[in-house]
């Protein structure tokens, strides 16, 4: 918890908050050689937290400065995406192998695990596993002038509240679009906007936060968990779809159907929780201001 929320007459030291987030991030990159899976996962999470922080203080910054910083942080995170996706596939497939619902597809799952391991070996032999990318990221976070400047100035609390309210409204609009059109791109947009709101709520929380704010965070976190599960299942399904196209000698349809069903269940859970969330927390700023 970084406790960005101060009295309305005060301002937040953004350098201090940025430094705390970066220190957490670098504590994971330092373990990349011995724990590459966890280092990759946590590095991506902390970069997303930084992007959410950048968006939170956007009302106090120039738009072109925000756009430049957002693009930088996005591009730095993309370096780790392929490896993370491969790790997630491996974990999911191994969980399926232990799940009785998939016992008749164990041979298929073993085959998919082996194929995924081939991809993983290629990625592990790339520069990422020689720690080059982690070292480059560390250098950028410490010394990139644009990043340092953006997070250096103080920000007044009312502008932070404005940034938070903007994120809430964008997440609500994305939710409505997602389940009006049922377009995968709209659902993906809601997942991103909901994650922004989750991270920003964490930045505003403290050990003394009132129960309403804690409940708001718990609810948006549950939504993000359901959306994340659906996204991982969709990613796995798309990967298997590509394998099935290139190898017609194996019938993957049963496992594809089961993954598709699990994906639908996760999306249904996210939709139901989303409806309840936006009905319950229609004015989140009142929750923050009343703390």
């Amino acid at each position: 918890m970084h406790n960005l929320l101060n009295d309305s007459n005060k301002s937040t030291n953004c350098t201090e908050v940025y430094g705390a987030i970066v220190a957490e991030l670098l504590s994971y990159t330092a373990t990349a050689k011995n724990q590459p899976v966890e280092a990759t996962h946590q590095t991506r999470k902390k970069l997303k937290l930084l992007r959410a922080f950048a968006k939170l203080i956007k009302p106090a910054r120039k738009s072109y400065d925000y756009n430049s910083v957002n693009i930088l942080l996005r591009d730095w995170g993309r370096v780790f995406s392929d490896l993370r996706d491969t790790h997630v596939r491996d974990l999911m497939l191994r969980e399926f192998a232990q799940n009785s619902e998939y016992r008749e597809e164990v041979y298929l799952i073993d085959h998919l695990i082996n194929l995924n391991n081939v991809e993983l070996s290629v990625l592990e032999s790339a520069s990422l596993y020689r720690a080059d990318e982690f070292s480059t990221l560390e250098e950028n976070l410490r010394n990139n002038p644009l990043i340092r400047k953006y997070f250096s100035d103080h920000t007044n609390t009312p502008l932070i509240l404005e940034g938070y309210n903007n994120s809430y409204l964008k997440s609500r609009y994305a939710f409505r679009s997602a389940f009006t059109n049922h377009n995968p791109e709209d659902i993906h947009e809601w997942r991103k906007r909901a994650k922004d709101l989750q991270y920003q709520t964490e930045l505003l929380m403290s050990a003394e936060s009132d129960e309403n704010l804690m409940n708001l965070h718990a609810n948006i976190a549950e939504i993000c968990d359901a959306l994340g599960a659906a996204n991982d299942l969709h990613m796995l399904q798309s990967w298997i779809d590509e394998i099935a196209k290139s190898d017609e000698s194996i019938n993957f349809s049963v496992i594809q159907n089961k993954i598709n069903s699990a994906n639908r269940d996760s999306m249904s859970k996210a939709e139901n929780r989303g409806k309840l969330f936006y009905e319950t927390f229609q004015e989140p700023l009142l929750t923050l201001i009343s703390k």
Side-chain angles (χ1 to χ4, degrees):
M1 305 301 179
H2 301 281
N3 194 16
L4 271 170
L5 197 60
N6 292 304
D7 182 87
S8 59
N9 295 320
K10 295 183 180 180
S11 62
T12 294
N13 185 337
C14 293
T15 303
E16 189 175 285
V17 176
Y18 174 77
I21 297 172
V22 170
E24 291 177 15
L25 192 159
L26 297 182
S27 71
Y28 290 107
T29 63
T31 67
K33 204 166 192 178
N34 297 321
Q35 297 177 305
V37 176
E38 183 67 6
T40 299
H41 175 63
Q42 292 295 338
T43 295
R44 291 183 76 250
K45 283 182 63 175
K46 298 306 178 186
L47 284 171
K48 288 181 179 180
L49 177 61
L50 278 175
R51 289 183 72 187
F53 180 28
K55 191 169 297 182
L56 187 63
I57 62 175
K58 180 181 176 182
R61 302 292 188 262
K62 295 177 180 178
S63 292
Y64 60 80
D65 284 341
Y66 164 75
N67 291 336
S68 299
V69 166
N70 185 52
I71 289 170
L72 272 178
L73 293 172
R74 180 202 66 191
D75 291 347
W76 294 347
R78 281 179 174 172
V79 171
F80 305 92
S81 293
D82 288 344
L83 189 57
R84 182 266 179 191
D85 290 347
T86 312
H87 286 149
V88 169
R89 284 200 300 266
D90 183 66
L91 290 172
M92 294 177 74
L93 289 168
R94 292 184 187 280
E95 286 178 4
F96 289 167
Q98 301 299 317
N99 189 333
S100 60
E101 292 184 15
Y102 292 86
R103 61 175 173 267
E104 294 181 4
E105 291 79 44
V106 169
Y107 74 98
L108 278 178
I109 293 171
D110 287 342
H111 178 63
L112 291 169
I113 288 173
N114 289 333
L115 291 176
N116 193 61
N117 281 340
V118 172
E119 292 188 26
L120 188 57
S121 296
V122 172
L123 289 170
E124 289 179 349
S125 63
S127 62
L128 183 59
Y129 265 64
R130 296 198 299 269
D132 294 348
E133 298 298 347
F134 287 107
S135 299
T136 299
L137 176 62
E138 180 176 350
E139 174 66 21
N140 284 328
L141 289 170
R142 291 187 186 281
N143 300 314
N144 183 281
L146 182 60
I147 294 288
R148 288 176 63 85
K149 178 179 181 297
Y150 188 85
F151 291 106
S152 64
D153 295 332
H154 282 55
T155 300
N156 292 332
T157 299
L159 293 177
I160 291 176
L161 294 176
E162 180 182 338
Y164 185 75
N165 194 52
N166 289 342
S167 290
Y168 169 83
L169 292 174
K170 287 180 179 178
S171 74
R172 187 176 67 186
Y173 176 79
F175 168 73
R176 290 173 177 171
S177 297
F179 294 101
T180 298
N181 305 321
H182 290 273
N183 184 314
E185 291 183 4
D186 290 333
I187 292 171
H188 181 59
E189 178 67 15
W190 180 42
R191 186 174 69 87
K192 292 190 294 183
R193 300 293 73 84
K195 202 66 182 177
D196 280 343
L197 193 64
Q198 178 189 350
Y199 282 138
Q200 290 177 1
T201 305
E202 290 171 6
L203 286 166
L204 297 173
M205 287 168 62
S206 71
E208 295 78 33
S209 293
D210 71 8
E211 187 175 346
N212 285 334
L213 183 58
M214 302 292 277
N215 286 338
L216 187 155
H217 176 261
N219 278 269
I220 194 65
E222 285 182 353
I223 288 170
C224 289
D225 286 345
L227 286 170
N231 183 68
D232 289 342
L233 287 163
H234 175 72
M235 174 198 68
L236 178 61
Q237 187 178 27
S238 298
W239 180 72
I240 295 174
D241 287 347
E242 290 301 312
I243 292 172
K245 289 177 185 176
S246 61
D247 187 358
E248 296 182 358
S249 65
I250 301 178
N251 185 354
F252 292 97
S253 61
V254 175
I255 194 170
Q256 286 171 307
N257 290 337
K258 288 184 176 181
I259 292 172
N260 187 44
S261 177
N263 188 0
R264 287 197 303 270
D265 288 346
S266 292
M267 283 309 309
S268 177
K269 185 183 297 183
E271 180 180 7
N272 291 334
R273 287 178 174 172
K275 287 178 181 177
L276 181 61
F277 176 79
Y278 293 107
E279 289 172 1
T280 305
F281 300 99
Q282 295 185 31
E283 297 181 303
L285 282 186
L286 294 181
T287 299
L288 294 173
I289 294 170
S290 65
K291 71 181 281 289

